Amino acid sequence: MHTPAIDLGGTFAKGALVDENGQLTRTWEVPTGAEGGYRAVVENLVSLGRKILGTARLMGESCLVFGLAVPGLVEPETGIARYSANLGWKDLPLADIIGERLGVKVKLSQDVAAGGLAEHRFGAAKGAHTAVVVPIGTGIAAAMISKGKPFQGAHGQVIELGHLRMSWSDEPCPCGGTGCVERLASASAIGRRYLEALAASGEPIPGESHPQANTTPKPTNQAQTVDSKYVADKAKDGDPLAIRIWNEAIRALAEGLHSVVTVVDPDVVVFGGGLSNAGDQLLIPLREQLESLLTFQTMPELRLATLGSKAGVVGAALSANEQMC
Ligand SMILES: [Zn+2]
């Protein structure tokens, strides 16, 4: 069996035919085209969908339900994409629109929930009773899979770990809150906060070549970015600023996870996305701090994701497989 699926991201749409073991037998990648507005995104989805379906039919597949994972707020039951700031849609009946154009049923899922489902079925959370899967990249999201089913609330939300607020931080967040976990601990936040701390300290900014002696450091701007790996490496080398930024990220994650563990009682928590590349540098202090915060709650196992960037498309296919064609 080869299930056609697309994982729509803000920049690229990843298409695949996914077999029953979660392996990708064919893959495609095209630009999302979000700069052209939601109509352009829909056209790109239809054109990619046709290519994938054409290949599936050539491979002898006739009973086809298309899996489509998209970011933002999603209602899997009705197939309505409730909201995505990046893709410019609100209350769009996306499953019906794409399904009509492709001539097959489309099962819509939320991308973080889909990725979590895939990690639970085939990846690091396999066998867990209740898994929380946390991708950490430009933002921080989380999916909960309990007894094999992904959780989504009444309005399409998953586990919004990234927007739990830390009272010790006044970092503003685009969501309107302050001190949100993702403003302190996402991979992008760690890079941004390190550069800001560097600028405030008067140290030279990395990437500014040939710094002149006795010049005041320039403030950071969009062109200067460092990633979380840079900060992690600096922290390993003993750079005090990097150590402070890294420790604050770990503290925010540990405190955010304390709330999640208290509310949903997972036995496994899986970390994915760019920040998970830090491996033990992330997991060891996080485990220690989370354990110190827990009292009556049971400490979950903390693991690293194993499916990488294919989790979303595999999860989209898994959701599609639950529907009759
Ligand atoms: Zn927020």
Side-chain angles (χ1 to χ4, degrees), residues 160 162-165 171-183:
E160 298 291 349
H163 298 284
L164 294 180
R165 295 183 183 188
E171 291 259 355
C173 178
C175 79
T178 49
C180 289
V181 172
E182 77 172 30
R183 297 299 289 168

Side-chain angles (χ1 to χ4, degrees), residues 76-167:
E77 299 83 6
T78 58
I80 294 175
R82 281 284 169 220
Y83 179 68
S84 166
N86 292 339
L87 301 176
W89 57 47
K90 194 170 187 310
D91 297 333
L92 189 70
L94 194 59
D96 284 351
I97 292 172
I98 305 289
E100 259 170 48
R101 299 278 303 276
L102 294 181
V104 292
K105 273 190 198 167
V106 170
K107 176 65 185 175
L108 194 66
S109 51
Q110 201 270 355
D111 61 353
V112 178
L117 186 62
E119 284 290 346
H120 183 263
R121 190 72 59 87
F122 299 116
K126 200 171 171 181
H129 176 285
T130 298
V132 173
V133 180
V134 189
I136 306 181
T138 51
I140 299 178
M144 179 172 78
I145 316 298
S146 192
K147 298 181 192 169
K149 296 276 175 211
F151 162 84
Q152 269 185 263
H155 307 97
Q157 265 182 227
V158 286
I159 305 283
E160 298 291 349
L161 167 62
H163 298 284
L164 294 180
R165 295 183 183 188
M166 300 291 107
S167 58

